[in-house]
Amino acid sequence: MNGILIINRLPCPVKVSATLAVFSGMLIAKDKTSSFMLRLFTSPLTSSHFIFGYTLPLFPMAVLQIAVCFTVAFILGLAFNINALLTIVVLIPAAVLFIAIGLLCGALLTNLTAWLSDIWFDLDLVGGAFKSIAEALPFVHAVEAGRAALAGDYSAIFPDLWWVICYAAVIMAIAILVFTNKMNSDTT
């Protein structure tokens, strides 16, 4: 790579998704400090209803942010083709992952995700344990799936995309469990 911010390295959509994690974390934290959350606890809703209730409005926002980011990338010289459109679709599970992370942890992990996603610098430059840890987490896989889609390397999309989909499902389930425990402890 000749530069850090080469347009085909795809840093923007993943960083936008990381912003969703911060936003969703701040949203749920704000609601917890207001009487809104107490009013919700009196309803017959379950924890999964709460989590999906926060996720569903954020999902279209994630898609819109990715589309805006790609529109700017097209203006800056990214080729508009079927691979770019496929990349937008491939990044949707990453957006769900970051929403789930935000709902689970708030703003605690979002800067770490950028460091571990291979968007600010090449992980091969660091190597060692840092690279191994980054490859065990979903962030670099989200970036690689997006890069593969953008390059039209269809066979390389799903090995990385499966990591993202599995992590998103597990983190969403953990968020529901943590929310359930928190809801039960707040009502007693």
Side-chain angles (χ1 to χ4, degrees):
M1 285 290 148
N2 293 334
I4 294 175
L5 294 177
I6 296 174
I7 200 158
N8 289 336
R9 297 260 319 150
L10 194 65
C12 191
V14 173
K15 188 61 179 164
V16 167
S17 296
T19 304
L20 283 170
V22 173
F23 180 73
S24 61
M26 289 174 21
L27 182 66
I28 204 165
K30 179 181 174 258
D31 287 346
K32 284 173 57 177
T33 61
S34 71
S35 60
F36 176 70
M37 193 62 76
L38 292 174
R39 288 192 304 268
L40 285 177
F41 285 161
T42 63
S43 70
L45 299 173
T46 65
S47 296
S48 59
H49 292 134
F50 282 111
I51 295 299
F52 289 119
Y54 278 103
T55 302
L56 290 177
L58 292 172
F59 183 75
M61 191 169 85
V63 173
L64 181 64
Q65 285 181 336
I66 291 169
V68 166
C69 192
F70 268 91
T71 301
V72 171
F74 295 141
I75 292 168
L76 294 175
L78 181 65
F80 181 77
N81 55 32
I82 192 71
N83 295 336
L85 297 176
L86 177 63
T87 304
I88 293 170
V89 172
V90 166
L91 289 173
I92 289 173
V96 173
L97 168 69
F98 283 108
I99 291 169
I101 287 171
L103 294 175
L104 179 61
C105 299
L108 297 176
L109 298 176
T110 54
N111 285 333
L112 183 61
T113 62
W115 283 95
L116 295 172
S117 65
D118 196 32
I119 60 173
W120 286 348
F121 55 86
D122 190 353
L123 290 175
D124 290 326
L125 295 174
V126 178
F130 186 84
K131 181 180 177 189
S132 297
I133 291 168
E135 289 175 344
L137 296 170
F139 315 115
V140 71
H141 297 287
V143 171
E144 291 302 321
R147 287 178 182 159
L150 192 58
D153 187 1
Y154 305 124
S155 64
I157 294 172
F158 268 97
D160 287 307
L161 193 58
W162 284 121
W163 277 84
V164 177
I165 291 169
C166 290
Y167 263 97
V170 168
I171 290 173
M172 189 66 74
I174 291 170
I176 290 169
L177 291 173
V178 168
F179 196 84
T180 300
N181 288 338
K182 184 65 178 155
M183 189 170 84
N184 290 337
S185 70
D186 285 348
T187 58
T188 57

